[in-house]
Amino acid sequence: MSFLKDFPGAVMAEGASKPSRHPLAWVPTLYLAQGLPFYAVALVAGLMYKSMGVPNEQIARWTGLLGMAWVFKALWSPFLELARSKRGVVVCFQLAGGCALGAMALALQLPAWFGLSIALFAIVALASSSHDICADGIYIASLSERQQAAYAGWQGAFFNAAKFLSMGGLVMLAGYLEDRMGPGPAWATVFGLLGAIMAGLGLYHLWALPDTPGNAPTGSGARGVAGTLYDVIRDFFAKPGIWMAILFIILFRAGEGQIQTIGPLFLRDAREVGGLGLSTAQVGAVYGTAGTIAFLAGSIAGGYFTAALSLKRAMPYLIIAMNLPNAVFWYLSVAQPESLGIIAVGLGIEMFGYGFGFVGVILFIMQVVASGRYQTAHYALGTGFMQLGFVLFKMVSGDIQGWLGYQTFFLWVLVAALPVLVLSRVVRLEALRKPAAAAD
């Protein structure tokens, strides 16, 4: 999320020059390029490490640590506004991410492949999180408010198309290749292909993207931007009840951060150790196709449900919807079904609930936490804490699963959702605005 709307005198969509290309020439591909590296780090990396024999604890810890790039991106967001051209910055980050993903193909063939792959994923994470800032800035500054609304659906559709392509396409390809050439060469091929796609998108966007200038106030340098950032952060933490709101945001993702990390590893692990013994291709099929479709359906339904009831009345139901379907994993760990169809249906239920309930934390940040004069910046900070909640629980999930085993771990995940459900009864669900006198 860009900070540009919160800079006094910033050039907004109404005053921006018209894009040289039709929005459909660049909006879909821009958000595809935003999603591909994100899902490569958040989801695909874990499955690759599982195939390469890395223990669950290390997978959870390292992939969680990589997610910190999206936690703290709001802190360097304003400084990217100093760039003379957002298009140039976006293309550079896409090419950098593409080169790092392509280099993974070589790194996986070397003796120190694990350390090298973590370093390359770190480059991908930093490039991707920084790319998000400028990509959103181009979208906001190049389109009118009416156009922003009109093409918002294309944003979400192609960001999630990246998940479909990553989990449903590339992971299935990796599974196919694993059976023929082994895990190392298979995943090297997949990441080489992904790197080529990102590089191709970068070169395409050099032509297709509007050449949007930076949006820092005229005459301001890094010192002025730093001052604005300080004021944004100070104003954020001065909101009444903000620490309770931050705790609520972090705990909201306690169950999700663990289940989204360990769930795919449970599907891959052998039945002798409590897993379901699915192949890489089968995991890609159930998560990347049925799971993605169910998540999208749940997200849409959750939005309409909340609009009908109001956020305050809907919140307990959203929390339950997001966490209760996690009982599916406990059932799968106990029943150990052989049928891929039963597994797919169960994961579809879980992903539908995840999409349905996730609406709650997004709207809480947007309507409650981000209210006030720095709305866009405070939304970015709020989503940073949201990502922090996911990352913290992701990082410890492997250790907890190792201590408890799969069956007890999935029961623990259900228990981990109870604190936020209790907190929803006491946290303020109206805007956290300072008194008018304090805001001046």
Side-chain angles (χ1 to χ4, degrees):
M1 177 62 67
S2 172
F3 271 52
L4 65 92
K5 291 177 68 177
D6 293 318
F7 280 103
V11 178
M12 295 306 296
E14 300 84 34
S17 59
K18 297 295 181 182
S20 57
R21 311 291 177 192
H22 192 280
L24 288 182
W26 57 270
V27 171
T29 54
L30 180 63
Y31 283 89
L32 180 68
Q34 187 176 104
L36 285 173
F38 173 78
Y39 288 117
V41 174
L43 297 176
V44 178
L47 290 172
M48 179 198 76
Y49 287 132
K50 189 65 177 178
S51 292
M52 301 284 282
V54 180
N56 288 1
E57 308 91 89
Q58 289 193 44
I59 295 174
R61 188 177 301 115
W62 284 104
T63 57
L65 188 61
L66 291 168
M68 286 292 182
W70 285 273
V71 173
F72 294 109
K73 69 177 184 179
L75 298 182
W76 62 83
S77 171
F79 297 96
L80 293 177
E81 299 292 347
L82 296 172
R84 297 183 63 180
S85 169
K86 283 191 175 65
R87 178 177 65 184
V89 175
V90 164
V91 169
C92 285
F93 282 134
Q94 289 176 359
L95 293 176
C99 289
L101 289 167
M104 199 78 67
L106 175 62
L108 293 178
Q109 312 302 315
L110 300 176
W113 67 269
F114 183 74
L116 290 172
S117 67
I118 292 295
L120 290 170
F121 276 132
I123 294 173
V124 173
L126 289 170
S128 177
S129 59
S130 302
H131 169 274
D132 294 355
I133 298 162
C134 292
D136 290 340
I138 287 178
Y139 185 87
I140 294 171
S142 300
L143 303 178
S144 67
E145 289 187 1
R146 183 175 180 180
Q147 288 175 314
Q148 290 171 23
Y151 296 105
W154 291 91
Q155 275 186 305
F158 275 81
F159 186 83
N160 282 286
K163 182 178 182 181
F164 185 86
L165 177 60
S166 299
M167 291 294 288
L170 295 176
V171 171
M172 291 176 68
L173 174 62
Y176 173 83
L177 295 176
E178 279 181 354
D179 295 335
R180 287 155 179 79
M181 58 176 66
W187 286 101
T189 302
V190 165
F191 279 107
L193 177 60
L194 185 55
I197 293 172
M198 284 299 299
L201 287 169
L203 295 176
Y204 171 75
H205 288 143
L206 191 61
W207 169 82
L209 287 180
D211 193 11
T212 309
N215 286 284
T218 303
S220 74
R223 185 186 298 271
V225 172
T228 302
L229 176 61
Y230 172 77
D231 194 46
V232 165
I233 295 173
R234 183 182 61 181
D235 191 78
F236 181 82
F237 286 105
K239 293 173 182 281
I242 188 61
W243 290 106
M244 184 70 75
I246 290 172
L247 180 62
F248 179 79
I249 292 169
I250 291 175
L251 291 179
F252 198 100
R253 305 193 76 180
E256 177 211 349
Q258 297 177 82
I259 208 76
Q260 295 298 316
T261 304
I262 300 300
L265 307 182
F266 158 72
L267 299 177
R268 286 282 288 113
D269 240 338
R271 290 180 178 268
E272 293 76 23
V273 295
L276 292 188
L278 300 187
S279 68
T280 301
Q282 288 174 320
V283 172
V286 295
Y287 253 123
T289 54
T292 300
I293 293 169
F295 175 81
L296 291 174
S299 299
I300 294 170
Y304 283 116
F305 177 81
T306 306
L309 262 67
S310 81
L311 180 61
K312 185 173 184 178
R313 292 172 58 198
M315 185 62 80
Y317 300 104
L318 296 173
I319 295 171
I320 291 170
M322 187 167 178
N323 291 283
L324 189 58
N326 291 338
V328 166
F329 277 99
W330 175 80
Y331 164 76
L332 293 175
S333 68
V334 173
Q336 294 277 297
E338 299 277 353
S339 170
L340 190 61
I342 293 175
I343 296 171
V345 169
L347 294 179
I349 294 171
E350 184 262 336
M351 291 298 288
F352 180 89
Y354 168 32
F356 191 97
F358 192 70
V359 170
V361 69
I362 291 294
L363 289 178
F364 178 76
I365 296 170
M366 188 179 298
Q367 297 179 4
V368 179
V369 174
S371 60
R373 57 176 176 155
Y374 291 121
Q375 186 172 11
T376 303
H378 288 177
Y379 180 79
L381 289 170
T383 55
F385 281 109
M386 179 184 72
Q387 181 67 10
L388 178 63
F390 182 86
V391 167
L392 289 177
F393 288 101
K394 179 185 180 76
M395 290 177 66
V396 300
S397 60
D399 295 297
I400 297 173
Q401 184 274 318
W403 296 333
L404 300 179
Y406 282 118
Q407 289 186 24
T408 309
F409 171 78
F410 292 131
L411 290 177
W412 152 253
V413 169
L414 294 173
V415 173
L418 294 178
V420 75
L421 186 61
V422 174
L423 200 58
S424 70
R425 311 310 298 166
V426 297
V427 72
R428 293 176 57 179
L429 290 175
E430 65 275 4
L432 301 177
R433 294 188 177 93
K434 292 191 297 182
D440 293 332

